[in-house]
Amino acid sequence: MSKNYVQIDPKDNIIVAITPLEKGTVATIQGVDIILKENIKQKHKFALNDFTLGDEIFMYGVLIGKAIEPIQAGCAITIDNVKHASAEFQDSKEKFIWKAPDASKFESRTFNGYHRKDGKVGTGNYWLVIPLTFCENRNVDVLEGALSEKLGYETKKDFAVDTEALINQYKAGASKDAILNTPIITTKEEMTKNRTFPNVDGIKFLKHDGGCGGIRQDSETLCKLLAGYISNPNVAGATIFSLGCQNAQIDMLQNALDAISPNLDKPVHYLEQQKSESERKLIEEAVKHTFLGLIEANKVTRQPAPLSKLVLGLECGGSDGFSGISANPALGYASDLLVALGGSPVLSEFPELNGVEQEIINRCETEEDSKKFYDLMRAYSAAAVAVGSGFENNPSPGNIKDGLITDAMKSAGAAKKGGTSPVVQVLDYTEQVTKPGLNLLCTPGNDVESTTGLVGSGCNIVVFTTGLGTPTGNPVAPVLKMSSNTHLYERMNDIIDINAGTVISGEDTIESMGEKILDHIIKVASGEVASKAVLHGNNDFIPWKRGVSL
C-alpha cells in the first residue's frame, strides 16, 4: 500500500490520502484522472466525483455520510461538507459463506499458560482484591500497602530504600564506614526477581466507585462483572471486602459466581467490616487470608496449551485515518486465523458498529443471535437519543483531526478488527464467552469501559489498535497496543507493542502483518514477552453503568 492515495473498496466514492497531497496533484482512480483542487492532509479524504446536496458518500463499501453542500471532485471531505449517515438494517439475515484462511503455520503451535480445573487456560496468574462498594476502597489501599512491595510486586516507586539494613548494622555495632558501604537501594527489576511467590504474576486491586447508591441494576451488573473477573482464567483467587449495608451484597456476588461458574474451584475470601471486631482485625484477617491464597496460587506453573484456549479481546482507541486500513484489518486477519485454530476472538464497542449492522447480522450463525444483535443496537441507539445524543457524536476531536469525520466512517474501519468469520454468539455486557469462534460483546466505545468488559467476559489477552496513542491496560489481562502508523510507533515506542504502519509503507500485507500479530500474541500469552501496559503498571478498570456511555 505504498501509493500516495488509495481507494479501499471499488464502491467507494472518496479516496484516502496516504501521504499529504498538494493542490494540482493528478490522482488516477480506475483509469480516471482527478485533479486535486486543494491540499489534502495525510489520512484525510477527497471526492472521487462531484456531489450535490444530499448525495450519499461511501467508504469501505458502506454508506458513511451525506453531502450537506455541493462538493467538487478533488476537494477535501470535511465535517463542514459531510454529515454522518448510515445504512438501514433489519433483523433478517442473508446466507453467509466463509472461507477460513490458511492457518497451517500455527497448527502445531502452543502457548505456555496456567491451566485451571474448569478447562480454561490463563495467560497470567493473579490474585484479586475487590471492594463490593466504594466505601471499602481505603481498606483496599491499606492491603496494597501491606502486601505489594513487600512481596516484590508492582510499586509506584522506581526503587526501594532498605532502611532496615542500616538499623540492623547499627544494632550490630557496625562502624561508620561499614554503614556507609551497606547497599540499601533495590531497583524495581530486582524486587521483581526476588518475588516471594515467583509463579504469581501480581496482586491486583480493583477499586471502583460503585456498589451502592445509583440504581440496583448497576450493583447487580457490577457483581456480574466482578464474578467474571474472579472466574477469568488469569485469576487464581480473590479477597473480597464488603462494608455490609451496601446494595452489592456478598450473596449477590456469590449468586453471580454460581451462574457463571457453578463448580468454581478457586479460593474466594469474604470479609465484612460491619461484622468485624475492628478495622485492624479486618485488615489482619485480609492479609493472612490473602497470603495463604498466594501460597496456593504459587503452586500452579505454566504448561503448554493449544491456541484454541486463547480468548482474544479486540479493542481500538485513539483511532486515526489509517486505523481502518492497516491495524484493524491486520488484527482482523489474526482474528480469522485464531478462529480457524479453534480460538475465540471477541469484538466489542457496539456504538462503533454503526453502519455495518447488516453485515454483522448476515454473519450471525443463528437467527436468535441476529435478532439479539438487532435488538441491542436499536436499544443502545435509542438510549443515546433519549439523552439528547446519538451515535453520530461518537468520533472524538482527535478522531476528526486525523481523518475520521463521521461515526459510520469510524465504525466501518473499527469493525475490521473482527475479521470476516461467522459470528457464533452475541453477548450482552457481562455475559460469558462459551463458544469457540467470533463472539460479539455489547460494550460502550469508551476504551477502558470496553476493555474492562472484554476481560470480565473471559478474554485472557487483548490487542488494542490505535492511531494516536494510548497507555490503556487492564489489571488482569495483558493489553497489546498496536499502532496504525510508523510515526506513532517511533514516537511512542515506550507504550506501543506492535507496529502495523508497515502495511501503509508496503513492507507488509494485511496477511503477513496478521501472522506477526498472532505470533506476538503467543509470546505474550506464554510469558516470554511482557506487554508495555504490564511493564508500566497500567491497571485501568472502569465498570460500565448502563446509562449512556458512548
Side-chain angles (χ1 to χ4, degrees):
M1 197 185 295
S2 56
K3 290 176 63 177
N4 294 331
Y5 51 86
V6 64
Q7 183 185 35
I8 298 172
D9 186 277
K11 191 177 178 181
D12 294 356
N13 51 18
I14 59 174
I15 309 300
V16 183
I18 301 300
T19 62
L21 301 175
E22 294 183 357
K23 178 181 179 180
T25 298
V26 178
T28 303
I29 311 295
Q30 296 183 2
V32 178
D33 290 340
I34 306 295
I35 301 175
L36 300 189
K37 296 178 174 60
E38 56 186 309
N39 295 334
I40 308 296
K41 291 184 288 187
Q42 186 183 41
K43 307 179 189 178
H44 286 252
K45 292 84 186 170
F46 62 88
L48 176 61
N49 49 256
D50 293 341
F51 295 106
T52 59
L53 183 66
D55 281 352
E56 295 182 334
I57 296 174
F58 291 85
M59 186 175 171
Y60 301 105
V62 299
L63 176 67
I64 59 90
K66 290 185 178 181
I68 55 177
E69 63 179 37
I71 308 170
Q72 289 184 299
C75 287
I77 300 297
T78 71
I79 58 173
D80 296 319
N81 57 25
V82 171
K83 70 174 182 178
H84 165 84
S86 58
E88 289 297 318
F89 61 98
Q90 55 189 9
D91 58 356
S92 60
K93 61 190 295 294
E94 299 174 5
K95 185 176 180 181
F96 177 76
I97 299 174
W98 182 61
K99 182 180 179 181
D102 180 5
S104 57
K105 291 182 182 179
F106 296 92
E107 285 178 352
S108 62
R109 296 283 297 274
T110 60
F111 72 97
N112 288 323
Y114 296 96
H115 292 248
R116 307 300 179 188
K117 291 183 180 179
D118 61 2
K120 298 176 183 177
V121 181
T123 64
N125 192 31
Y126 294 97
W127 188 271
L128 298 184
V129 178
I130 301 172
L132 282 180
T133 173
F134 54 81
C135 304
E136 290 297 310
N137 281 346
R138 177 185 175 277
N139 288 328
V140 172
D141 287 336
V142 173
L143 201 63
E144 182 175 9
L147 294 174
S148 283
E149 190 172 316
K150 290 289 186 182
L151 296 178
Y153 292 115
E154 194 172 287
T155 172
K156 295 180 175 69
K157 296 183 287 189
D158 291 327
F159 59 88
V161 180
D162 186 10
T163 307
E164 190 174 344
L166 298 181
I167 295 171
N168 292 335
Q169 287 280 55
Y170 168 71
K171 289 181 176 180
S175 66
K176 177 181 178 181
D177 286 342
I179 290 175
L180 288 174
N181 289 322
T182 299
I184 62 170
I185 300 298
T186 305
T187 67
K188 185 182 289 189
E189 291 72 22
E190 289 169 334
M191 286 188 282
T192 299
K193 289 178 182 177
N194 296 324
R195 285 176 178 169
T196 306
F197 303 109
N199 295 324
V200 180
D201 294 309
I203 310 170
K204 300 297 182 176
F205 304 86
L206 306 187
K207 292 190 296 182
H208 55 82
D209 64 357
C212 201
I215 58 174
R216 293 298 175 90
Q217 290 91 331
D218 280 339
S219 291
E220 292 171 0
T221 299
L222 175 65
C223 285
K224 290 177 182 179
L225 177 71
L226 296 177
Y229 270 74
I230 294 168
S231 64
N232 188 289
N234 290 5
V235 172
T239 301
I240 311 297
F241 280 109
S242 168
L243 177 59
C245 58
Q246 73 278 350
N247 286 340
Q249 291 285 301
I250 288 175
D251 61 357
M252 187 182 289
L253 175 60
Q254 290 173 329
N255 290 337
L257 271 171
D258 288 341
I260 292 174
S261 301
N263 300 311
L264 183 72
D265 191 11
K266 294 180 182 181
V268 181
H269 304 291
Y270 298 92
L271 300 111
E272 188 159 294
Q273 186 163 11
Q274 290 173 347
K275 291 182 179 179
S276 181
E277 295 176 19
S278 66
E279 189 175 83
R280 291 183 180 182
K281 184 65 175 177
L282 181 80
I283 296 300
E284 181 182 5
E285 290 181 18
V287 170
K288 290 177 179 177
H289 281 302
T290 302
F291 194 85
L292 289 172
L294 291 168
I295 292 173
E296 293 303 309
N298 193 54
K299 295 176 181 178
V300 184
T301 59
R302 289 185 182 272
Q303 301 294 333
L307 300 187
S308 59
K309 296 296 184 179
L310 291 174
V311 184
L312 173 64
L314 309 171
E315 184 63 33
C316 64
S319 299
D320 72 344
F322 285 165
S323 293
I325 59 178
S326 61
N328 290 344
L331 179 55
Y333 188 77
S335 302
D336 285 346
L337 288 172
L338 188 59
V339 170
L341 295 163
S344 304
V346 186
L347 181 64
S348 58
E349 300 180 290
F350 272 29
E352 297 184 8
L353 297 178
N354 178 224
V356 295
E357 293 97 338
Q358 194 62 55
E359 178 196 341
I360 297 293
I361 287 169
N362 293 341
R363 288 165 60 184
C364 288
E365 285 192 332
T366 68
E367 295 287 349
E368 179 184 1
D369 277 321
S370 65
K371 180 68 163 57
K372 185 174 182 179
F373 176 70
Y374 174 91
D375 290 342
L376 284 169
M377 288 297 289
R378 290 293 191 200
Y380 203 150
S381 178
V385 172
V387 294
S389 188
F391 287 162
E392 67 272 13
N393 295 321
N394 183 262
S396 70
N399 296 148
I400 294 168
K401 181 181 177 182
D402 263 48
L404 299 177
I405 64 169
T406 74
D407 183 61
M409 179 187 290
K410 179 181 178 181
S411 296
K416 298 292 183 183
K417 303 190 302 294
T420 61
S421 68
V423 174
V424 298
Q425 195 166 25
V426 175
L427 306 169
D428 201 355
Y429 185 67
T430 75
E431 290 184 331
Q432 299 295 297
V433 175
T434 59
K435 293 183 179 180
L438 178 64
N439 287 252
L440 296 186
L441 175 65
C442 183
T443 74
N446 177 294
D447 301 348
V448 178
E449 286 179 325
S450 180
T451 304
T452 298
L454 282 165
V455 178
S457 288
C459 292
N460 54 13
I461 193 165
V462 177
V463 175
F464 189 125
T465 68
T466 182
L468 304 176
T470 175
T472 300
N474 181 268
V476 165
V479 177
L480 306 177
K481 253 63 67 60
M482 178 165 58
S483 65
S484 69
N485 60 90
T486 300
H487 175 67
L488 171 63
Y489 180 74
E490 292 174 343
R491 184 167 49 84
M492 301 183 74
N493 184 255
D494 57 329
I495 64 172
I496 304 293
D497 300 271
I498 309 169
N499 176 31
T502 51
V503 174
I504 300 296
S505 63
E507 300 163 67
D508 273 300
T509 62
I510 294 296
E511 293 75 18
S512 67
M513 190 68 234
E515 291 178 352
K516 289 179 180 179
I517 294 167
L518 184 54
D519 185 66
H520 198 84
I521 288 170
I522 295 168
K523 291 176 181 176
V524 172
S526 299
E528 297 172 16
V529 177
S531 74
K532 302 291 180 66
V534 168
L535 290 174
H536 288 297
N538 293 112
N539 295 314
D540 304 297
F541 179 79
I542 303 179
W544 181 27
K545 296 179 180 179
R546 290 304 290 264
V548 176
S549 180
L550 293 175

